[in-house]
Amino acid sequence: MRILVSGGAGFIGSHTCVELLNQGYDVTLFDDFSNSSEEVVSKIKEITGKDLKCFKCDMKDKKALEKVFKKDKYDALIHFAGYKAVGESVAKPLMYYENNLFGSVNLFELCKKYEVNKIIFSSSATVYGLSENMPLKEDAPLSVTNPYGRTKLIIEGILEDMAKAEKQFSIVVLRYFNPIGAHESGLIGEDPNGIPNNLMPRLLDVVRGKAGCLMVYGGDYPTPDGTGVRDYIHVTDLAEGHICALRYAFSGFTGIDAFNLGCGRGVSVLELINTFEKVNNVKINYKIVDRRPGDVAENYADVSKAKSILGFTAEKTVEDMCRDSYRFCMKKENMK
Ligand code: UFG
């Protein structure tokens, strides 16, 4: 079975390619490498000892994309490609709409033309907006707080309309909570271009001396220690979630269904810092500062739907996530 993976060199895409190859799928990935590196492809091969096909392709370029579709018959698409920085999307909304929306429409049109009827879409818990009713269930009200989130919600809507209009599609939408960690080999992990926004890459910048101090945004939230609570999930667990979603798409189900992928447990910023210090035997220089605009106190998933229908449960602990993130970061530093 051959799976087409868009954005397969990115953080979650690369770990999913490893899992797909390990479980015997044939993989073709394409990526424009705007926020990833071609080196990742050789690392995927090194980890798995298996070969995969790779194309450099921008999904906005429909002609180039069609060449990828003509190369092989694909049984499913896993669609990761897209810009993903919340702050950048606020500053450059049109760039986000052009890339994420036009690119996705091109991709879905080609899926229709070449009969790639199983689609797994990489969505985000951002589609729940600023909801305060935790844990979040898939049927919670959806809303947006920034252009990035709007692209995810619009793409979910496009897929819903496709599933209504064309009965041959089986579409699985996966709403990720906070993916961190890295492959245990230390060969692939999160490697954002520029200054990162998210907690773990920023924490790693402090550990390796690229930043002096980690700003902890808010110490006065109504949470057990006053800092923000999130549902962190190890990226290799998340990758496994995609395999479960593929199996579901091939199980005879048609239409569209959405699932939360998280651990279902809230972890505070201070808890994450303390765990990181303990398992890696390092000290993190941090300071509690004002809240970051747009942040909610708590965000964590109800994971019962993924468990009962997909048979998916995240297994790795916060300790594993901290250990693996650190290993990847130090390995990269030592190679410089
Ligand atoms: N935080 C800090 N300091 C930092 C960065 C983050 O204290 O330098 C805190 C935040 O305030 C929050 C927690 O760490 O409490 C996690 O923040 P992240 O930026 O890592 O993640 P978010 O939960 O804000 O955002 C993530 C994804 C978004 C997605 C959102 C909703 O990055 O793409 O989850 O699911 F939209």
Side-chain angles (χ1 to χ4, degrees):
M1 199 175 283
R2 182 163 284 279
I3 315 297
L4 180 62
V5 183
S6 79
F11 177 42
I12 305 169
S14 58
H15 289 81
T16 302
C17 287
V18 165
E19 210 50 49
L20 286 166
L21 290 165
N22 281 343
Q23 299 203 24
Y25 293 93
D26 294 316
V27 174
T28 297
L29 81 76
F30 78 83
D31 205 300
D32 67 359
F33 299 105
S34 60
N35 192 27
S36 59
S37 120
E38 295 187 42
E39 241 178 54
V40 168
V41 180
S42 45
K43 305 281 185 207
I44 296 172
K45 292 180 188 170
E46 188 180 335
I47 292 169
T48 59
K50 297 199 174 146
D51 206 3
L52 76 165
K53 292 189 190 174
C54 170
F55 298 97
K56 183 171 183 174
C57 177
D58 178 343
M59 63 181 175
K60 293 194 293 305
D61 181 347
K62 198 170 172 188
K63 277 200 179 123
L65 197 54
E66 185 150 15
K67 283 189 189 148
V68 176
F69 275 79
K70 280 184 174 158
K71 291 271 177 206
D72 269 301
K73 170 83 191 105
Y74 304 110
D75 298 286
L77 165 73
I78 308 185
H79 178 28
F80 293 103
Y83 296 153
K84 60 173 188 179
V86 172
E88 185 184 51
S89 80
V90 175
K92 301 177 182 169
L94 294 177
M95 187 175 107
Y96 271 67
Y97 294 130
E98 186 191 22
N99 186 67
N100 294 7
L101 299 184
F102 292 176
S104 296
V105 169
N106 283 341
L107 204 44
F108 301 153
E109 276 173 350
L110 290 167
C111 282
K112 187 176 166 210
K113 181 167 173 185
Y114 291 90
E115 296 176 348
V116 181
N117 294 329
K118 319 281 185 219
I119 300 176
I120 314 296
F121 174 56
S122 163
S123 188
S124 160
T126 189
V127 299
Y128 296 117
L130 300 177
S131 174
E132 284 179 2
N133 294 328
M134 298 298 138
L136 287 161
K137 282 177 99 83
E138 287 81 353
D139 58 5
L142 306 180
S143 68
V144 295
T145 55
N146 57 68
Y148 157 75
R150 196 182 301 280
T151 67
K152 290 293 181 196
L153 198 54
I154 293 174
I155 298 168
E156 286 199 11
I158 292 171
L159 290 168
E160 227 176 283
D161 292 338
M162 274 168 64
K164 266 187 217 144
E166 314 270 347
K167 301 296 176 205
Q168 72 277 20
F169 282 114
S170 318
I171 302 173
V172 184
V173 169
L174 299 177
R175 297 180 181 148
Y176 312 146
F177 279 68
N178 290 58
I180 58 171
H183 191 264
E184 60 182 13
S185 63
L187 290 171
I188 55 171
E190 187 168 20
D191 197 6
N193 285 339
I195 300 167
N197 286 300
N198 298 115
L199 180 59
M200 183 56 86
R202 284 199 174 171
L203 188 155
L204 293 171
D205 275 358
V206 173
V207 173
R208 59 186 159 161
K210 267 183 86 177
C213 180
L214 176 69
M215 302 298 168
V216 174
Y217 296 134
D220 58 352
Y221 282 112
T223 57
D225 64 21
T227 65
V229 163
R230 295 292 182 273
D231 186 346
Y232 297 95
I233 175 167
H234 197 293
V235 65
T236 59
D237 275 339
L238 198 57
E240 176 62 28
H242 291 75
I243 311 289
C244 296
L246 261 187
R247 280 194 212 112
Y248 180 51
F250 282 101
S251 69
F253 137 84
T254 55
I256 181 164
D257 212 349
F259 297 90
N260 289 336
L261 292 186
C263 283
R265 183 172 96 81
V267 173
S268 76
V269 176
L270 286 185
E271 211 180 324
L272 190 82
I273 294 174
N274 291 337
T275 307
F276 192 98
E277 290 185 326
K278 202 168 87 203
V279 300
N280 296 317
N281 200 20
V282 292
K283 241 11 256 144
I284 312 285
N285 185 22
Y286 71 86
K287 187 165 93 185
I288 298 183
V289 297
D290 286 347
R291 295 180 181 187
R292 183 170 65 175
D295 273 356
V296 288
E298 296 188 303
N299 207 36
Y300 55 93
D302 180 319
V303 293
S304 52
K305 188 177 173 195
K307 186 174 180 188
S308 64
I309 299 180
L310 301 182
F312 171 74
T313 315
E315 280 171 0
K316 299 214 170 189
T317 61
V318 179
E319 280 79 5
D320 297 327
M321 301 178 208
C322 290
R323 196 178 299 114
D324 292 342
S325 288
Y326 183 63
R327 186 188 298 115
F328 170 69
C329 168
M330 293 326 282
K331 204 159 184 160
K332 261 196 81 210
E333 278 301 293
N334 293 336
M335 284 190 321
K336 277 183 187 166

